[in-house]
Amino acid sequence: MISAELGEPAVRRAAIARASTWTPSWFLACRLVGAAGVAASGAIHFQLWTSGYSVIAVIGPLFLLDAIGSWLVALTLLATRFRVVAAAAILIELGAIAGLALASTVGIFGFQESGSGVGGQIMAAYGTEALAVILLAASLALGPGGLGRRVRGG
């Protein structure tokens, strides 16, 4: 009975040590690839802006604003570990997904998207934006103060 009691804390310490070695690497991977998704989304918006969307009232300036904002947030994600930056990036990407969904269905600001966009950018935009949201949400869960800390017993 005494050996089982002595062995249990060692098993628990080993499990905590294993969790703590995996969580930072997963947190970092999710944050880096999530930042790349945000930057790619900005690049798609910029490419569309330069290919003719710049002349569309309201939509044109929003595309340029999304591109610049996405790039700034992606750089900030790489340079800092602030959770609020990841949350802001998630909100930017969710806004872009919602705007694209509205433009593709009922229209937004008097504009309705038709077809698959220039060279299929609509699907690429959905993909990069969804990827960024999923990975940045995972980075929030795995990072300091997230679920990863609770799993490690901290």
Side-chain angles (χ1 to χ4, degrees), residues 29-125:
C30 288
R31 191 159 177 112
L32 291 176
V33 179
V38 172
S41 172
I44 291 168
H45 281 90
F46 186 72
Q47 194 278 328
L48 288 170
W49 182 80
T50 60
S51 69
Y53 280 53
S54 60
V55 299
I56 302 170
V58 182
I59 297 295
L62 287 176
F63 268 56
L64 183 58
L65 184 64
D66 183 278
I68 294 168
S70 293
W71 292 333
L72 290 174
V73 168
L75 288 173
T76 307
L77 279 167
L78 296 175
T80 68
R81 295 184 110 186
F82 295 126
R83 296 171 57 81
V84 70
V85 177
I90 289 170
L91 291 176
I92 288 171
E93 296 307 309
L94 288 175
I97 290 170
L100 181 53
L102 286 171
S104 298
T105 55
V106 297
I108 184 170
F109 302 120
F111 173 77
Q112 186 161 8
E113 184 66 61
S114 60
S116 61
V118 180
Q121 272 95 345
I122 287 179
M123 295 311 294

Side-chain angles (χ1 to χ4, degrees), residues 2-19:
I2 293 174
S3 64
E5 292 177 65
L6 293 175
E8 185 174 332
V11 170
R12 179 169 159 67
R13 280 193 304 273
I16 290 170
R18 251 192 329 277

Side-chain angles (χ1 to χ4, degrees), residues 9-29:
V11 170
R12 179 169 159 67
R13 280 193 304 273
I16 290 170
R18 251 192 329 277
S20 65
T21 59
W22 278 98
T23 303
S25 60
W26 282 110
F27 158 75
L28 183 61

